[in-house]
Amino acid sequence: MEADIEELTSRGRRESEDSHTSKAHWRSLFAFTSRSHAVPLCLALALSVASGAVTPVLSYLLGKVFGCFTDFGAGKYDGAELVKKVSKYGIGLTGLGAGSGLLHTGYFGLWLVFGELQAKCARDSLFAGMLEKDMEWYDMRKDGVEALIQRLQTQIRELQMATAQPLGYAIQSVVTACAALGLAMYTAWDLTLITIATIPFSIIILGRISAKMQPNIDAQAEELSKASKLASNALQAIDTVKYFNGQDFESWQYAKAIQRAAGKYLSQAMANALQIGFTRFVTQSMFFQGFWYGSHLVIKGKKDPAEVLTAFWSCLMALQAVEQILPQMLVLEKGRAAGATLQAILTQMGRRRRVFMTGHLKPEFCEGDIEVRNVSFCYPSRPDQRALVDASFFFPAGEISFVIGKSGSGKSTLSNLLMRFYEPVKGELFIDGHAIQTLDIGWLRNNITLVQQQSVLFNETIFKNIAFGRRDWKRVRREEVKRSINIAFLQDTIDDLPSGLDTVVGTGGNAMSGGQRQRVAMARARLRDTPILILDEATSALDHISKDMVMRAVREWRRGKTTIIITHDLSQIEDHEYAYILDKGVVVQEGYRYALEKGSAGPLAAPRRPSITYPPVKRSSRLPPRTRKQSTATIGSLSQGSVISVGSVDSMDIQYQPRPRSVFVPAIFSPTLGNLGDNRRSRFGPLVSPAATGAFAMHRLSTGPSLFGSTVVGSPQAPEGTDSMAEWPLLPRRGERMRDLSMVNELHQSASEIGRVSAEERGPRSVRRQTRLIPLKTLKKPLPERPMDVGGRSGGPVKKRSVAPIKKILLTVWPTLSWKHRSLLLCGFLAAGLHAAATPIFSWVFSKLLATFFLPVNRSQEALKWSLSVLAVGVGDAIAVYFMHYLLEACAQAWVDSLRTEAMKRIIEQPRAWFDRDKNGVCKLLECLDRNPEEMRNLVGRFAGFMFVVFVMLLMTLIWSLVVCWKLTLVGLASAPFIYAVTRSYQAVSATWEGKSNDAGTAAATIFTETFGNVRTVRALTLEAYLHEKYLKSTENAFKVGIRRSLYSSIFYGISDSGIVFATALIFYYGAVLASSRAFSVENIIQVFSMLLFSIANANAILSFIPQINSSCATATRLLRLANLPYQTSHEHTGHVRIPSVGAIAFNNVNFIYPSRPTGSVLNNLTLVLPPSTGIALVGASGSGKSTITSLILGLYPPTSGSLTFNSVPIGDLHLPSLRSLIAVVSQTPQIFATSIALNIAYALPERSALASRVAIERAAAIAGIHEFVTSLPRGYQTLIGEGGTGLSGGQAQRVAIARAVARQPLLLILDEATSGLDGENAKGIRELVKRLVGAGIGVLMVTHDREMMSACQDVVVLKDGTVVERGNFHDLVQRKGGELRRLLGQK
């Protein structure tokens, strides 16, 4: 067994390590290229080569034109000859422009198509690959499945962006460089070699710089994954975050994760800026050596000026082509890393194809005999803990069997193994005598139905959710669904819904209560009607009478069919039904109920029996017969004397021996480390002394003993006034980090006002800062509240989203930045201005260089002088370029980080109703926080600086050119309206289709998230084929939208590109006319030529960025919408009154309707007073409004009408954070955060509070009955749980949630079905806790269906249809003839 566990441990470790890629190669960009992509890829490459060759041809023509002007200046031509020759070359330029437009249209469109193909292939491959992976793979994801899903979507997007236009542009530039160098070598090989002599050395340096980028890209992706995980946890558990005032804490955690990711990105930005600056310097330095040597060749008569200019211009074009690649390098590097990571994940998925998934046996019938023989199992996330230990079961066909046991005893593990979510480490499982490994997985799951406690519903209609029970769900008729509804008694609920069966239940079924979701799941199981049914706490959220009715219906329905019921509710077991009792993975008892009741031990035994330790079960006597007939005879022949009674202790009353190093004696709850016997209880003396009770009201949270205080044996008590966080390194000092961000989680009220938290315990107090991020006042219209999905489920058509213009987006940068980054931003734009000025200066110096070719004397000296001037300009330009890129990237990162943090802060401060809207689903919010900022950053980091440079450059060029040769400048400007119109049209078309493409991609991502976020339910219902088909349709739609985008965008891109070449031809022709007329000197005309051509070339480069700019604007619009959400303006922040205690809670004629369900009233004229310091049970059928009352008490929603008061103060006047700090909540569905057990219990507590100390945390865990389990883990309270951590059973998670609530020492404890996941013994402990809390003056409000929990309360309030129908003492109500409580409990 130990060897098996070790193998599992190493296997999990390898799986986790395999998910990372060590090195990304450039071929990773083509990781998802298939043979079907060959045609578009080859065409794209061919057109890239052809369009790349346009530049060398342009270089050749430009060289010839400049040669004509040089010869004319030297007196070789007259004016007429000059105009004739330039006209000839102008016609060539015009033809070249037309051809260039066609080539660029084709190349641009095909590369966009190729990017869409890569994205579609990646999406489809990942979906198919993840569908085939076993649950072990999901469990071993380091950061959890949710974070993995978000990172996959981001990486798919990064791969798509890289393999589209940037890759095509890079290939075109490489072709241009090679062709230009070839032309230069052909024209003047010696001059070319001298000019490019520094290139090999430069390539080595650039390669070194590039190598440093990849590790930082991987590190940034990992940090962003952690940030996404934190955001996912907070948003999915938003109720818990609000209950415990964890908003600031979550914002702080997220901001710190974003800061770490930002540091990694800045390292990338620095490397990229170095590359660009160095390349700029190399390019400019070429002029020095090239022109010096070219002038030498002309003087010696070895070359004429035209040849020198052609060769030199070609070298310059080659280097400029290389330089233009560099701004795309970061996109390509990210795409390369994304492709490598996605490929590594797919490879890792393919490498570990599990043997047990390859069964092909499909028996004609399934009788339903199930045998589990000596099975041992460990979960991958807990390889050192055995969930089952040599366990054997036999479930005969046609019978109902029960499996009971404490939380974490292995009950649900059995259902997981039967569904083949996992394979056992040891032992075998058989269905009808067939080894489970040999059975086809589809056949198995179509013959077994699993209904779990946390019933998962899909974002579809109720009809479709129930119809999913059948494989041929499309053929399911409404009559069949209605018949299935009857078994779950769901008809009344459906009748009350606005659209009946056609009501969409929302993401995860959030539009329905827990009990209603369980009923839908039960109806789905009835429609499925498989030979084998497993109910795993499937009725825990139902009231007693509903549960009883459902169980009776199940017994009638399942007569003659195999049924396994996993439960804590022993009342469900009838006398003639067989039960297995599990403890710590071992079958400790089994037998029929009537026989077990007469035994000496176990939960069904008489309570008078003494409690002793279990000996192990050696062999099950419920032996599997060879035939069905034998099985019936064998079971029928079992008599009272044949009952297996292993050991003589109550299986729900396990003896835990306390560890000497940490033994607790809580003052209010004696069973501290397990359930101690009466003889143990007497050792500890009275549970609550009068002195302790009296002191409690005066000293609520002092570091001294209190109601929740304890005596610790073997563990020193924390001295007063010390920092309790310091004694336990598990809990980081959050205060210092929070103070830096001004996001400390203030625990919600002033100690001086209410005497609740002392200054020593609170630590540094924070004041919620009002953000510097001002609303978008610069926008004439507010950013649109547009749904971020296509074909959303809001019931109406989706409104078209308008994307905010780049200008208005950029105007939000300055208000967002700190003064430090504002200074850096100014420096960055100053550097950009210097870079822009360098081009006109360079053009002027360049014209002087050209003029040296027709100087009669001192040609060499002048050439050297102006070559050195070019070198000086190059050095200054390179420095300016470096600082421009790095400083603007740093400011861009600060901008998006601020917006991210602000968006996160504002999101979690939104009222609860905001999260119920479909457009604000967790998947869409995470996409906005995770992927959108990465694209949005480019607006400032790359595009804003470049556009500023072009603007300044054009302005300087225009003024300079007007001064030097105003006629030629005006003719050049004549083409500006045409170029502007075409460019704007291109931008508008691109923006429209970019938005549509993003929406289609988001729709596909939503399906991806829904599928793999609920993968267990998907597999249990065999919905893989349906969801796969749905996803393929979604990705096909995204692909089609992308194809149309590429078509329309490429047409306008080609027209824009050709328009610039046409303008160049016009300028040359008119320049020749002016030169021939001697109106301006040749030197001045060449000077204007140089400035206009360089400026036009830089302006033309903007065209290649337009698709990325539009994409960035679309994503920026989404993030800015979130970052400018109303902050603390909802009903949660209107009040300012702080009260010292909860006091009496009074509902007066309260009506309430959920905003997401406006047609159904949940509370109807509710009038209810909840007195303080009282134990009150809220009882009623599912959907009667019980949980809604707790939501209103905690201020998640405001009442629709009527009044709700605390101590006669309306809730609207109360400071809700301080109110919530007086209350602790345990929800029916426990929320576990992806962190350690200790931090889960101490969630959002002040860092210096004694409540967050090690002693207090362990005390709370002991009270909740989880301490012994935690200390049995290898890392104890440091054990990571939640997404990516150790998995917990439902009961264990529930006890962690109870410990979290108890740790706060509340004045009111709300338990919303808090014992639904607990076994009888732990539920008994909670009942004892309730009694002691009430006895000490602490109020308890309990939402429950459990009879025992009701009896522990002083007052029982019975609800029906959202109003109180009866109220009183439990014993009085239960005896009231015709009473509602009596009916709910099923008493006649």
Side-chain angles (χ1 to χ4, degrees):
M1 180 66 185
E2 284 71 16
D4 294 330
I5 293 176
E6 179 60 31
E7 192 274 334
L8 186 62
T9 305
S10 60
R11 183 174 65 201
R13 194 177 297 120
R14 289 195 302 270
E15 289 249 357
S16 181
E17 293 169 355
D18 284 346
S19 64
H20 297 282
T21 177
S22 57
K23 187 176 181 180
H25 300 282
W26 284 112
R27 64 174 178 269
S28 300
L29 288 170
F30 303 94
F32 295 92
T33 304
S34 63
R35 290 184 178 179
S36 61
H37 304 165
V39 173
L41 177 59
C42 290
L43 286 175
L45 288 171
L47 290 176
S48 295
V49 172
S51 59
V54 168
T55 303
V57 175
L58 179 62
S59 301
Y60 173 79
L61 293 175
L62 291 177
K64 293 297 184 182
V65 171
F66 274 105
C68 291
F69 280 96
T70 303
D71 290 341
F72 176 76
K76 296 181 180 179
Y77 300 146
D78 58 13
E81 186 68 17
L82 173 65
V83 172
K84 180 180 178 181
K85 287 184 174 292
V86 170
S87 298
K88 181 181 70 173
Y89 292 125
I91 294 172
L93 284 171
T94 303
L96 180 65
S100 175
L102 293 174
L103 290 173
H104 279 81
T105 296
Y107 122 86
F108 188 81
L110 284 170
W111 279 113
L112 288 180
V113 169
F114 181 69
E116 293 290 344
L117 287 169
Q118 298 309 286
K120 185 178 188 305
C121 186
R123 288 171 178 144
D124 295 348
S125 300
L126 286 167
F127 193 94
M130 289 178 68
L131 273 184
E132 295 179 6
K133 290 307 296 180
D134 52 84
M135 290 308 304
E136 178 181 333
W137 185 86
Y138 290 92
D139 290 347
M140 294 307 296
R141 296 311 93 202
K142 180 180 177 182
D143 292 319
V145 176
E146 290 291 341
L148 172 67
I149 290 171
Q150 293 305 318
R151 290 310 303 159
L152 289 179
Q153 300 306 315
T154 300
Q155 287 166 337
I156 289 172
R157 178 63 177 173
E158 288 175 348
L159 178 65
Q160 178 184 0
M161 288 186 66
T163 54
Q165 185 262 339
L167 179 59
Y169 192 73
I171 292 175
Q172 181 199 36
S173 298
V174 170
V175 172
T176 298
C178 294
L181 285 176
L183 177 62
M185 292 289 289
Y186 173 79
T187 305
W189 65 268
D190 47 354
L191 174 60
T192 303
L193 292 178
I194 293 295
T195 303
I196 65 173
T198 57
I199 287 183
F201 174 71
S202 302
I203 290 175
I204 295 174
I205 293 179
L206 290 174
R208 285 294 189 90
I209 297 174
S210 180
K212 294 182 180 296
M213 292 175 64
Q214 191 61 45
N216 286 302
I217 291 175
D218 295 336
Q220 184 205 12
E222 185 175 352
E223 293 296 341
L224 286 175
S225 180
K226 293 177 182 178
S228 179
K229 178 180 176 181
L230 291 171
S232 175
N233 279 184
L235 297 178
Q236 288 180 334
I238 189 62
D239 286 359
T240 303
V241 171
K242 289 180 176 290
Y243 290 156
F244 294 102
N245 290 317
Q247 295 96 321
D248 284 345
F249 176 68
E250 293 295 344
S251 297
W252 167 77
Q253 282 196 117
Y254 184 74
K256 294 300 290 184
I258 291 300
Q259 281 184 359
R260 291 192 295 269
K264 304 300 180 183
Y265 180 78
L266 289 180
S267 298
Q268 303 171 39
M270 181 177 289
N272 193 48
L274 277 174
Q275 284 183 322
I276 296 174
F278 181 76
T279 305
R280 191 74 177 177
F281 169 73
V282 171
T283 304
Q284 304 283 15
S285 67
M286 288 173 54
F287 282 85
F288 173 71
Q289 60 213 38
F291 262 94
W292 173 80
Y293 188 71
S295 179
H296 171 74
L297 293 176
V298 172
I299 293 172
K300 296 293 183 181
K302 295 182 179 180
K303 298 289 182 183
D304 60 45
E307 291 176 322
V308 170
L309 287 173
T310 299
F312 184 77
W313 199 267
S314 297
C315 290
L316 181 61
M317 289 284 187
L319 263 294
Q320 282 185 334
V322 174
E323 187 179 9
Q324 288 173 355
I325 296 175
L326 295 181
Q328 308 284 358
M329 281 302 297
L330 203 52
V331 177
L332 293 172
E333 289 279 3
K334 281 183 171 290
R336 177 171 72 153
T341 301
L342 295 174
Q343 186 181 33
I345 291 174
L346 275 178
T347 302
Q348 182 265 326
M349 281 194 272
R351 186 183 305 146
R352 286 205 47 78
R353 298 292 183 191
R354 302 300 302 276
V355 176
F356 81 101
M357 299 293 284
T358 58
H360 300 289
L361 186 61
K362 297 181 181 179
E364 186 174 356
F365 300 105
C366 178
E367 293 288 340
D369 274 333
I370 301 174
E371 182 186 358
V372 180
R373 187 184 300 168
N374 299 323
V375 164
S376 296
F377 177 73
C378 301
Y379 282 100
S381 59
R382 289 179 287 167
D384 52 348
Q385 282 197 324
R386 305 178 187 184
L388 287 177
V389 183
D390 292 325
S392 295
F393 306 84
F394 178 65
F395 305 103
E399 291 194 14
I400 295 179
S401 305
F402 286 80
V403 179
I404 59 178
K406 299 187 70 170
S407 302
S409 61
K411 306 183 300 299
S412 296
T413 301
L414 175 63
S415 64
N416 287 333
L417 294 177
L418 288 173
M419 295 300 296
R420 286 179 68 186
F421 292 153
Y422 304 94
E423 65 172 335
V425 175
K426 177 185 174 185
E428 296 179 290
L429 294 90
F430 298 90
I431 305 291
D432 291 343
H434 302 290
I436 201 169
Q437 291 88 347
T438 65
L439 295 171
D440 176 78
I441 189 68
W443 180 91
L444 178 75
R445 291 175 180 165
N446 278 306
N447 283 280
I448 302 178
T449 297
L450 171 64
V451 182
Q452 296 176 302
Q453 179 178 3
Q454 306 302 330
S455 304
V456 173
L457 302 183
F458 298 93
N459 192 18
E460 303 282 359
T461 63
I462 294 177
F463 174 84
K464 188 172 284 190
N465 267 285
I466 295 174
F468 281 155
R470 285 250 296 268
R471 195 163 197 173
D472 58 341
W473 63 269
K474 292 182 180 179
R475 300 182 181 179
V476 174
R477 300 188 304 275
R478 296 183 79 85
E479 294 74 17
E480 296 176 278
V481 170
K482 289 181 178 178
R483 284 197 298 269
S484 300
I485 286 170
N486 293 333
I487 194 174
F489 302 95
L490 193 60
Q491 189 60 54
D492 290 342
T493 300
I494 292 175
D495 290 342
D496 292 337
L497 294 174
S499 302
L501 280 172
D502 296 321
T503 301
V504 176
V505 300
T507 303
N510 58 17
M512 309 188 79
S513 69
Q516 290 167 342
R517 288 196 296 269
Q518 286 191 342
R519 291 171 188 254
V520 172
M522 191 66 75
R524 184 166 60 197
R526 176 62 184 89
L527 180 67
R528 192 173 179 83
D529 197 19
T530 53
I532 300 171
L533 173 67
I534 304 173
L535 301 179
D536 189 352
E537 295 287 357
T539 59
S540 61
L542 302 181
D543 58 87
H544 182 84
I545 189 169
S546 297
K547 186 183 300 184
D548 187 57
M549 293 168 63
V550 169
M551 287 305 300
R552 285 203 300 268
V554 166
R555 284 189 171 90
E556 180 65 26
W557 157 40
R558 299 300 298 174
R559 186 173 296 169
K561 298 177 182 177
T562 306
T563 306
I564 302 172
I565 300 177
I566 298 170
T567 183
H568 292 128
D569 187 359
L570 305 183
S571 65
Q572 295 183 14
I573 309 175
E574 296 187 351
D575 287 347
H576 63 280
E577 291 174 334
Y578 204 89
Y580 289 91
I581 301 173
L582 280 174
D583 180 61
K584 296 183 179 179
V586 178
V587 179
V588 293
Q589 279 190 309
E590 59 177 290
Y592 292 98
R593 174 167 184 150
Y594 70 86
L596 291 175
E597 287 179 337
K598 298 179 181 179
S600 60
L604 299 173
R608 67 180 184 277
R609 302 291 183 186
S611 177
I612 61 175
T613 306
Y614 289 120
V617 174
K618 295 182 179 179
R619 182 180 177 85
S620 171
S621 65
R622 198 185 193 192
L623 298 175
R626 294 183 181 274
T627 66
R628 174 74 182 273
K629 183 176 180 180
Q630 289 172 336
S631 173
T632 305
T634 303
I635 297 202
S637 64
L638 284 175
S639 63
Q640 178 179 342
S642 63
V643 171
I644 297 100
S645 180
V646 185
S648 56
V649 73
D650 188 337
S651 67
M652 297 302 194
D653 194 16
I654 307 300
Q655 295 289 336
Y656 292 108
Q657 297 301 322
R659 302 183 180 217
R661 58 185 174 87
S662 57
V663 181
F664 289 82
V665 189
I668 64 162
F669 190 171
S670 66
T672 55
L673 301 179
N675 182 31
L676 307 177
D678 291 338
N679 59 327
R680 298 285 300 277
R681 190 175 293 123
S682 63
R683 292 172 51 194
F684 300 138
L687 299 178
V688 182
S689 66
T693 306
F696 181 78
M698 299 299 296
H699 196 57
R700 280 284 304 132
L701 295 185
S702 66
T703 53
S706 70
L707 179 65
F708 289 83
S710 67
T711 303
V712 182
V713 181
S715 180
Q717 181 73 26
E720 283 195 34
T722 60
D723 183 355
S724 58
M725 302 292 284
E727 67 183 60
W728 201 359
L730 294 178
L731 301 171
R733 287 180 175 270
R734 297 194 291 261
E736 296 160 6
R737 300 173 183 174
M738 288 176 163
R739 287 194 296 274
D740 293 340
L741 293 167
S742 300
M743 290 183 182
V744 184
N745 177 26
E746 54 173 330
L747 198 61
H748 329 129
Q749 71 252 3
S750 169
S752 61
E753 292 176 355
I754 62 175
R756 213 175 124 69
V757 183
S758 65
E760 291 80 10
E761 292 167 327
R762 288 182 61 87
R765 181 175 175 80
S766 81
V767 179
R768 286 177 179 260
R769 67 175 175 87
Q770 292 297 327
T771 175
R772 288 191 309 271
L773 180 65
I774 61 173
L776 294 182
K777 296 178 180 178
T778 54
L779 293 177
K780 295 180 181 178
K781 296 181 180 180
L783 285 171
E785 284 278 338
R786 174 192 179 273
M788 288 179 284
D789 58 302
V790 177
R793 304 186 179 278
S794 58
V798 178
K799 296 180 181 179
K800 183 178 178 180
R801 190 245 305 261
S802 59
V803 177
I806 185 172
K807 175 185 174 182
K808 295 180 179 179
I809 293 173
L810 292 178
L811 286 175
T812 66
V813 176
W814 183 263
T816 305
L817 298 178
S818 65
W819 279 108
K820 172 188 173 182
H821 284 98
R822 288 176 182 177
S823 301
L824 294 179
L825 183 67
L826 292 175
C827 292
F829 277 106
L830 177 62
L834 294 175
H835 172 50
T839 299
I841 295 173
F842 172 81
S843 301
W844 177 70
V845 176
F846 182 63
S847 67
K848 295 294 184 181
L849 267 174
L850 291 178
T852 61
F853 286 122
F854 49 83
L855 288 176
V857 293
N858 298 326
R859 188 179 295 177
S860 296
Q861 291 84 347
E862 288 296 311
L864 179 60
K865 181 181 74 172
W866 292 112
S867 295
L868 287 172
S869 299
V870 167
L871 184 62
V873 173
V875 171
D877 192 21
I879 295 173
V881 164
Y882 168 76
F883 281 107
M884 179 190 79
H885 282 276
Y886 178 69
L887 293 179
L888 291 182
E889 285 283 11
C891 293
Q893 186 65 45
W895 177 49
V896 297
D897 285 350
S898 179
L899 289 175
R900 263 178 167 155
T901 304
E902 191 67 28
M904 182 65 180
K905 185 176 76 170
R906 289 174 180 255
I907 285 170
I908 59 180
E909 289 289 359
Q910 295 308 298
R912 183 60 180 83
W914 186 84
F915 294 90
D916 294 335
R917 303 173 193 167
D918 188 59
K919 68 175 181 179
N920 298 326
V922 173
C923 175
K924 299 182 179 74
L925 294 176
L926 288 178
E927 182 182 24
C928 285
L929 292 171
D930 187 41
R931 177 174 71 83
N932 291 358
E934 294 300 294
E935 293 187 37
M936 177 181 177
R937 179 180 53 223
N938 294 330
L939 289 176
V940 174
R942 294 172 59 201
F943 308 137
F946 194 72
M947 289 187 292
F948 179 76
V949 166
V950 171
F951 173 76
V952 173
M953 185 186 304
L954 289 175
L955 184 62
M956 292 183 65
T957 298
L958 178 62
I959 296 172
W960 199 329
S961 299
L962 285 172
V963 172
V964 174
C965 184
W966 63 272
K967 287 187 177 181
L968 181 59
T969 305
L970 290 179
V971 170
L973 287 176
S975 61
F978 168 74
I979 296 176
Y980 176 78
V982 172
T983 304
R984 288 292 296 171
S985 300
Y986 170 44
Q987 188 273 337
V989 170
S990 178
T992 299
W993 284 99
E994 193 69 39
K996 292 180 179 180
S997 182
N998 283 338
D999 288 339
T1002 299
T1006 301
I1007 301 172
F1008 194 100
T1009 302
E1010 185 176 41
T1011 301
F1012 297 108
N1014 305 309
V1015 66
R1016 288 177 187 269
T1017 303
V1018 169
R1019 290 185 170 173
L1021 296 174
T1022 61
L1023 289 175
E1024 295 96 332
Y1026 162 72
L1027 289 169
H1028 198 182
E1029 180 184 1
K1030 182 179 179 181
Y1031 186 70
L1032 290 177
K1033 287 181 179 178
S1034 181
T1035 58
E1036 183 66 27
N1037 177 64
F1039 177 70
K1040 289 178 180 178
V1041 172
I1043 295 298
R1044 291 196 289 272
R1045 173 179 71 112
S1046 63
L1047 174 63
Y1048 296 127
S1049 297
S1050 61
I1051 291 173
F1052 284 91
Y1053 177 77
I1055 295 173
S1056 301
D1057 181 81
S1058 61
I1060 291 175
V1061 181
F1062 295 153
T1064 303
L1066 175 63
I1067 292 170
F1068 277 133
Y1069 171 76
Y1070 190 70
V1073 172
L1074 290 177
S1076 64
S1077 66
R1078 306 290 180 175
F1080 296 91
S1081 68
V1082 174
E1083 181 180 352
N1084 287 342
I1085 291 174
I1086 291 178
Q1087 187 176 333
V1088 173
F1089 279 164
S1090 300
M1091 286 189 288
L1092 290 178
L1093 289 178
F1094 278 111
S1095 298
I1096 288 173
N1098 282 281
N1100 186 38
I1102 291 182
L1103 294 177
S1104 64
F1105 290 131
I1106 284 181
Q1108 298 174 56
I1109 291 173
N1110 289 329
S1111 178
S1112 297
C1113 286
T1115 55
T1117 302
R1118 297 180 178 188
L1119 184 60
L1120 285 169
R1121 179 184 77 90
L1122 298 178
N1124 286 276
L1125 288 169
Y1127 183 61
Q1128 296 187 352
T1129 59
S1130 69
H1131 72 279
E1132 296 186 20
H1133 303 282
T1134 57
H1136 302 285
V1137 178
R1138 302 170 187 258
I1139 53 177
S1141 62
V1142 176
I1145 305 173
F1147 292 81
N1148 185 23
N1149 294 322
V1150 169
N1151 292 280
F1152 179 72
I1153 299 173
Y1154 281 101
S1156 59
R1157 291 172 274 165
T1159 58
S1161 180
V1162 182
L1163 299 181
N1164 299 289
N1165 295 320
L1166 176 70
T1167 298
L1168 173 65
V1169 177
L1170 304 176
S1173 307
T1174 307
I1176 301 173
L1178 290 180
V1179 181
S1182 299
S1184 60
K1186 305 183 299 297
S1187 296
T1188 300
I1189 289 176
T1190 65
S1191 296
L1192 294 183
I1193 289 174
L1194 287 153
L1196 290 186
Y1197 302 91
T1200 304
S1201 64
S1203 65
L1204 170 60
T1205 62
F1206 293 76
N1207 265 342
S1208 301
V1209 180
I1211 191 171
D1213 296 337
L1214 290 176
H1215 182 243
L1216 274 183
S1218 65
L1219 175 66
R1220 288 170 179 167
S1221 68
L1222 302 173
I1223 305 172
V1225 186
V1226 181
S1227 304
Q1228 179 179 353
T1229 304
Q1231 294 292 346
I1232 300 299
F1233 295 94
T1235 184
S1236 67
I1237 295 175
L1239 288 177
N1240 263 281
I1241 295 174
Y1243 175 72
L1245 282 171
E1247 73 281 5
R1248 287 195 172 93
S1249 172
L1251 302 182
S1253 67
R1254 175 177 181 172
V1255 172
I1257 289 172
E1258 292 188 356
R1259 179 193 311 137
I1263 292 173
I1266 194 73
H1267 176 74
E1268 281 296 329
F1269 167 74
V1270 175
T1271 54
S1272 70
L1273 298 172
R1275 300 188 64 197
Y1277 283 86
Q1278 291 185 348
T1279 302
L1280 296 177
I1281 55 178
E1283 281 283 334
T1286 299
L1288 299 179
S1289 69
Q1292 289 165 346
Q1294 195 75 278
R1295 282 184 277 170
V1296 170
I1298 292 171
R1300 180 192 298 147
V1302 170
R1304 278 151 177 76
Q1305 301 189 7
L1307 292 180
L1308 174 63
L1309 178 64
I1310 297 179
L1311 304 174
D1312 189 353
E1313 293 289 357
T1315 60
S1316 61
L1318 301 183
D1319 56 82
E1321 191 58 37
N1322 280 295
K1324 178 182 177 183
I1326 300 304
R1327 289 196 298 273
E1328 294 298 320
L1329 172 64
V1330 170
K1331 292 177 181 177
R1332 284 156 179 78
L1333 288 173
V1334 173
I1338 299 174
V1340 177
L1341 180 61
M1342 185 181 302
V1343 175
T1344 183
H1345 297 305
D1346 185 76
R1347 181 190 182 105
E1348 298 299 326
M1349 296 302 291
M1350 296 178 204
S1351 65
C1353 296
Q1354 298 163 298
D1355 199 5
V1356 176
V1357 177
V1358 184
L1359 298 171
K1360 184 177 182 181
D1361 298 328
T1363 190
V1364 178
V1365 293
E1366 61 182 17
R1367 180 174 184 173
N1369 179 273
F1370 172 75
H1371 298 289
D1372 294 338
L1373 292 179
V1374 85
Q1375 294 175 8
R1376 183 180 297 175
K1377 293 184 178 179
E1380 180 66 15
L1381 180 62
R1382 190 180 179 92
R1383 187 189 70 81
L1384 288 173
L1385 294 177
Q1387 296 185 355
K1388 297 181 180 179

